[in-house]
Amino acid sequence: MSQKREHWSGKLGFILAASGSAVGLGNLWKFPYITWQNGGGLFVLIYLLCILLIGLPIMIAEIALGKISSRDPVGAFDFVSKRKTRFRYVGILGVLSAFVILSFYSVVAGWSIEYSIKSISSDFKSIPYESYKEALTDDRKVKALQKAVFEEALTQPLTDIEKREILHAALSQKTIQQMPFDEINELFKKEKKNLISLLKENKQIETWQNYFLAKRSKRKDFNEFMHKTLLPVYSSSLFADFLNNWPKVSLWHLIIMSICLLIVSSGIKKGIEKTTKFLMPLLLLLMFFMMINSLMLDKEQEGVKFLLFGDPGKLHGLSIPEAMGHAFFTLSLGMGAMLTYGSYMKKDSDVVSDALWVTGLDTLIALIACMMIFPIIFVYGLEPTSGGIGILFTTLPLELFKFSYGYLLAPLFYILVFLAALTSAISLLEVAVTYLKDEWNLDRDKASLIAAGAIFLVGIPSAISVSFMEYPDALSTNIMLPLGGLLIAIFMGHKAEKTLLENEFIKHKYPKWSFDVFYFTLRYITPALVTIVFIFLLSDLVKKIVS
Ligand code: PFF
């Protein structure tokens, strides 16, 4: 163990660093998406309950465990137990989680650098707005565009002759040519849904797509239509092209890991605290600006209405586990990040108030993120179907460009994503570094280099294939974090001496009842809730594997 431990310079230093860890891609990317999927309203309420009954008690316990022991996640358990205990494996699980999470987190953070640059460079400006014809030389885009044109054409009135020809091409039955038109109309209605696939089967689809495209071009709103249709196609293919360029994705991943390495190796005060003290206020300011911008755009306030009332019909069996898993992820709990940051606290720090600040700020920012993103989705009638990734990197950028000051807004937005991700990534790296420093007696520089290098390598599969990323994400969010959180709650609620936690309340003159409520929740309610949800999640996982 190092002889002299560094400390945060004060309360603000800790709160900004810890909320920097909590506020990240989880708030900007995941929360708005899962809230949308689960219908807002009631889901938000469930999430807030998870934060209050599970997140907050574990946050207090985790920070306290760090502060009391002044040790890394593994050593902290030994210190409090006054001997080597089996609970140290909870710490090892935590350090492993940090590895797993940072390996894919850093890849996604890298995307935000690419998009900050893309939205400043000509990539976004030229194609969708003026030169869609140029884009039509790309085979994939032409195909997607033709499909969109075809789908739209089927919603427009068609002449009887057109209907007959389409049916003839789709069904390739000679009798169709002689059929009376009322029967043709009947048949067309019946087959309408299958037409695209039937035409594809008969290799007639391209002919008809081109026919409709030509027909469409005579209409007055053609340019507007092309623009609207090509926009999402263009945007998704741009994103897919980028993701396929794995050397570039890996390069950004390397750059993110190098920035983290630079900050973390500079130490707690000079590295992490200095960076987060500058970045967090900037992040808050940017988010506030973007939220006001979105709210002004949404005259009917549909975005806010969705957040408050939403569509409870969209809730499903997995909504509660999803809300709970996310509570762990967004608050950086269950894996020793808060414990590690807590271990650099001064002995007179107020754990309870700091935990309340961090939890409150993170929750507030998650809600602000929704108010920033939902209005844009509603105003432009978007359906964020392609996952959380879809909202941030395919639909949103182009929508941002529709504002007259989009060229300012879009880069600002991606810089915001980058900042939020970076302050979280730093904390993940710090978990591994503190572990190597405290348990293996390495100096900070060496520990940072080893940890960052190893995480970079582990992240390469996620950089090469975006679908691979699902595994470390699901493994950490659904299993490792809730399990880690549960064991921390059990350890602090049942194994550690009660007075350790009680003193944190007494020293700062919190009323006795507040400790009693907290302690009871930590001992019984939190573990019971996590266990129930955990069993549910595992049985779902088994079901999925079996089927
Ligand atoms: N809390 C971060 C977010 O919401 O994006 C993610 C995270 C950071 C999870 C650090 C865990 C952690 F230790």
Side-chain angles (χ1 to χ4, degrees), residues 67-83:
K67 181 190 144 181
I68 293 162
S69 62
S70 293
R71 292 282 297 272
D72 69 292
V74 178
F77 290 96
D78 292 345
F79 181 90
V80 168
S81 315
K82 302 195 184 83
R83 61 185 166 89

Side-chain angles (χ1 to χ4, degrees), residues 233-418:
V233 174
Y234 168 74
S235 177
S236 330
S237 64
L238 203 64
F239 188 51
D241 285 348
F242 165 61
L243 291 186
N244 283 334
N245 187 350
W246 68 265
K248 198 173 187 189
V249 179
S250 307
L251 177 72
W252 292 136
H253 166 49
L254 178 69
I255 290 181
I256 292 279
M257 288 312 302
S258 309
I259 301 176
C260 289
L261 169 65
L262 214 73
I263 297 171
V264 169
S265 61
S266 307
I268 291 296
K269 239 186 244 162
K270 283 203 195 114
I272 302 181
E273 184 172 329
K274 214 164 145 192
T275 317
T276 45
K277 261 191 175 158
F278 168 67
L279 293 187
M280 286 310 285
L282 189 66
L283 183 92
L284 273 170
L285 209 73
L286 279 178
M287 282 203 73
F288 214 69
F289 169 74
M290 302 241 348
M291 178 187 75
I292 304 276
N293 188 62
S294 292
L295 291 179
M296 278 178 5
L297 183 80
D298 186 7
K299 302 264 170 344
E300 308 282 314
Q301 297 307 330
E302 279 184 271
V304 178
K305 277 186 211 152
F306 181 81
L307 188 65
L308 292 180
F309 310 110
D311 175 6
K314 282 195 180 162
L315 280 180
H316 50 85
L318 283 175
S319 295
I320 297 180
E322 205 168 355
M324 187 195 82
H326 186 68
F328 278 105
F329 186 84
T330 189
L331 292 175
S332 310
L333 291 177
M335 47 146 299
M338 289 299 163
L339 189 160
T340 303
Y341 274 11
S343 76
Y344 295 104
M345 270 177 153
K346 287 183 188 147
K347 290 295 168 211
D348 60 354
S349 317
D350 181 347
V351 169
V352 182
S353 127
D354 290 1
L356 280 167
W357 267 104
V358 175
T359 310
L361 271 172
D362 183 77
T363 310
L364 182 74
I365 290 184
L367 297 176
I368 292 184
C370 288
M371 288 195 268
M372 181 171 107
I373 291 170
F374 290 162
I376 298 183
I377 291 174
F378 274 104
V379 170
Y380 291 106
L382 304 169
E383 181 60 37
T385 44
S386 48
I389 307 174
I391 303 187
L392 279 197
F393 297 98
T394 63
T395 22
L396 208 60
L398 293 170
E399 299 314 319
L400 291 172
F401 270 92
K402 286 194 176 164
F403 294 104
S404 52
Y405 44 101
Y407 300 130
L408 179 73
L409 217 56
L412 266 188
F413 179 77
Y414 289 107
I415 290 171
L416 185 118
V417 177
F418 167 71

